[in-house]
Amino acid sequence: MKKANEPEGFSGFDRKCMFRAMSLARRGAGKTSPNPLAGSVVAKNTRIIGEGWHRRYGGKHAEPDALDAVLAAGESPAGADLYCTLEPCCFTAPDKHQPPCTDRIIKSRIRRVLIANRDPNPRVNGGGIRMLEQAGIAVQSGLLAAQGEKLNEGFFTFQRLGRPFIRLKIAQSLDGRIAAAGGDSRWITGEAARRLVHRLRSGHDAVLIGRGTALADDPELTVRLVRGANPLRVVLDSRLSLPDSARLLGLSDREKTLIFCAAGADPRRIAILQNRGIRVIPIDAGEGIGLSLQRVLDVLADLGVRSVLVEGGAEIFTGFLKQGLWDRLAVFIAPLVLGQGISAVGDLGIKAVKDALHIQDVSFRTIGDQALFEGARTASREGTRVYRDC
Ligand code: AOF
Ligand code: ZN
């Protein structure tokens, strides 16, 4: 079925092939960042003759991978259609690992190229499409574009805004509490919801929490309930107050734990943590909340982080929301009422309903007796969706 806002001229087979290319692209999840996920399918006379994807950062791109698969199967790509989740790259540079895909596509005598999303990398950004068209290849873009945007939310956000994609994940009671009055929060949401959180974690380059959550929950922030790569674990702890016994300091892959502290933090404590293999980065103070979130994001971006899952607590959620440093919300809601307790979000300076933050692209789904509410800061092309049990 044609999606709203999708350009005309695509067949059901076209959609099937692009859908397949996106599934292939997802196989690279957790391995390609800071570069995008990319998948590709070659088809001739409504038959798929080759498939490929970008497997890891620096490795072969999706299009040559699919074209190699065509040759390996003893087929010819001449006259075939090529489905690309991302506009093929078209440039060479000293820091570039792979040759331009456009050259290979043109040499392979592909007839038509179908693209989900334009590559916002300024060194591509429409240049790949132009080069293919100049070589006489028909190019159609926008096929399953909304799904493609989701696939590369980190890469696209970084290219457009210069900062990582930020998803705030809140697990709360029906009355909006993320912990009981005493600070206890284990567990507000059930096992199925927590499994979804682990899947969310594995889809981000980094997971970030504040000192309060690190102390109260003593989390690992690893991916254990599903298969997937562990993201970088980031803690904002201006005074380095985590005790040696904290789980985050004792994990086997300690180089994946990064603590941001204040520029004036105790140098001896920094040295002790670094000797344990933990990464510690002192940074400037920010407004109100201990550390400058913008500075944290800049450093993470320099480290190649393109997406961050922010897991709390209230002070952290409030800081990111107040400074407009977020893209999507994922709010897990459990059928519990805690009354007095810790609110998910603190003072945002909002005095009237008309000034409330409005969430767009809203979707709901139920997970047993719990719910997951998702939404975006700015509207994409999707509109509201409602899911039943999943
Ligand atoms: C494609 N197909 O599979 C990917 C693309 O250093 P390189 O050679 O790997 O190039 C990285 C850039 O190429 C990256 O920033 C993005 O613009 C594009 N990624 N392009 O045609 C692919 N992964
Ligand atoms: Zn390429």
Side-chain angles (χ1 to χ4, degrees), residues 61 63 88-89 96 99-101:
H61 284 187
E63 302 84 336
C89 68
K96 194 168 191 305
C101 290

Side-chain angles (χ1 to χ4, degrees), residues 241-271:
S241 53
L242 283 196
D244 285 340
S245 59
R247 286 200 182 99
L248 277 168
L249 304 182
L251 295 167
S252 54
D253 57 347
R254 267 174 239 170
E255 72 291 347
K256 281 200 151 182
T257 301
L258 165 57
I259 304 180
F260 283 101
C261 62
D266 179 5
R268 274 170 312 172
R269 184 71 188 143
I270 294 180

Side-chain angles (χ1 to χ4, degrees), residues 178 313-319 321-322 342-350:
I178 56 170
E315 205 183 335
I316 296 284
F317 292 140
T318 309
L321 285 168
K322 212 168 180 171
I342 298 169
S343 278
V345 182
D347 182 19
L348 294 175
I350 295 167

Side-chain angles (χ1 to χ4, degrees), residues 193-275:
R194 294 207 305 280
R195 216 173 299 124
L196 262 180
V197 170
H198 282 220
R199 193 169 305 145
L200 266 183
R201 281 181 185 164
S202 73
H204 291 74
D205 294 335
V207 180
L208 181 148
I209 57 167
R211 161 188 166 274
T213 300
L215 288 174
D217 293 0
D218 193 16
E220 273 190 30
L221 303 180
T222 52
V223 175
R224 307 181 298 283
L225 302 176
V226 299
R227 279 208 321 190
N230 277 344
L232 182 71
R233 299 173 289 271
V234 180
V235 187
L236 307 193
D237 183 13
S238 45
R239 279 163 290 150
L240 295 176
S241 53
L242 283 196
D244 285 340
S245 59
R247 286 200 182 99
L248 277 168
L249 304 182
L251 295 167
S252 54
D253 57 347
R254 267 174 239 170
E255 72 291 347
K256 281 200 151 182
T257 301
L258 165 57
I259 304 180
F260 283 101
C261 62
D266 179 5
R268 274 170 312 172
R269 184 71 188 143
I270 294 180
I272 290 170
L273 290 166
Q274 286 175 337
N275 285 338

Side-chain angles (χ1 to χ4, degrees), residues 60-64 87-91 96 98-102 119:
K60 199 198 284 180
H61 284 187
E63 302 84 336
E87 175 184 5
C89 68
C90 56
F91 69 102
K96 194 168 191 305
Q98 296 291 323
C101 290
T102 44
D119 183 348

Side-chain angles (χ1 to χ4, degrees), residues 38-321:
S40 199
V41 162
V42 187
K44 216 181 215 178
N45 305 323
T46 63
R47 187 169 64 88
I48 291 180
I49 57 170
E51 298 183 334
W53 69 98
H54 185 46
R55 287 154 211 255
R56 58 183 166 78
Y57 174 77
K60 199 198 284 180
H61 284 187
E63 302 84 336
D65 195 43
L67 290 165
D68 285 348
V70 172
L71 300 179
E75 301 267 359
S76 163
D81 291 342
L82 178 70
Y83 296 82
C84 311
T85 57
L86 189 68
E87 175 184 5
C89 68
C90 56
F91 69 102
T92 44
D95 61 334
K96 194 168 191 305
H97 305 84
Q98 296 291 323
C101 290
T102 44
D103 287 1
R104 174 74 190 269
I105 295 167
I106 293 166
K107 277 200 198 98
S108 304
R109 300 180 33 230
I110 288 290
R111 178 184 76 108
R112 185 172 69 131
V113 173
L114 297 97
I115 297 168
N117 305 103
R118 201 185 245 241
D119 183 348
N121 180 345
R123 298 191 284 186
V124 183
N125 199 18
I129 295 176
R130 258 195 318 280
M131 208 165 277
L132 295 171
E133 284 176 341
Q134 277 162 8
I137 297 173
V139 182
Q140 287 175 276
S141 53
L143 172 57
L144 303 191
Q147 288 90 328
E149 283 282 333
K150 283 226 167 96
L151 193 64
N152 278 311
E153 55 195 9
F155 177 76
F156 288 168
T157 301
F158 179 75
Q159 294 294 337
R160 290 171 189 147
L161 303 180
R163 64 152 171 83
F165 172 91
I166 302 164
R167 174 175 277 108
L168 306 183
K169 181 235 98 186
I170 300 174
Q172 65 172 46
S173 64
L174 261 188
D175 53 339
R177 308 295 189 196
I178 56 170
D184 167 47
S185 69
R186 284 188 175 216
W187 294 103
I188 288 183
T189 48
E191 167 97 12
R194 294 207 305 280
R195 216 173 299 124
L196 262 180
V197 170
H198 282 220
R199 193 169 305 145
L200 266 183
R201 281 181 185 164
S202 73
H204 291 74
D205 294 335
V207 180
L208 181 148
I209 57 167
R211 161 188 166 274
T213 300
L215 288 174
D217 293 0
D218 193 16
E220 273 190 30
L221 303 180
T222 52
V223 175
R224 307 181 298 283
L225 302 176
V226 299
R227 279 208 321 190
N230 277 344
L232 182 71
R233 299 173 289 271
V234 180
V235 187
L236 307 193
D237 183 13
S238 45
R239 279 163 290 150
L240 295 176
S241 53
L242 283 196
D244 285 340
S245 59
R247 286 200 182 99
L248 277 168
L249 304 182
L251 295 167
S252 54
D253 57 347
R254 267 174 239 170
E255 72 291 347
K256 281 200 151 182
T257 301
L258 165 57
I259 304 180
F260 283 101
C261 62
D266 179 5
R268 274 170 312 172
R269 184 71 188 143
I270 294 180
I272 290 170
L273 290 166
Q274 286 175 337
N275 285 338
R276 280 179 81 162
I278 309 286
R279 290 155 85 181
V280 183
I281 303 185
I283 54 161
D284 307 330
E287 263 176 56
I289 174 162
L291 300 167
S292 158
L293 298 182
Q294 188 59 61
R295 188 78 196 103
V296 165
L297 294 171
D298 288 346
V299 174
L300 291 177
D302 286 347
L303 292 173
V305 169
R306 295 294 176 263
S307 55
V308 183
L309 183 69
V310 175
E311 294 208 28
E315 205 183 335
I316 296 284
F317 292 140
T318 309
F320 277 93
L321 285 168

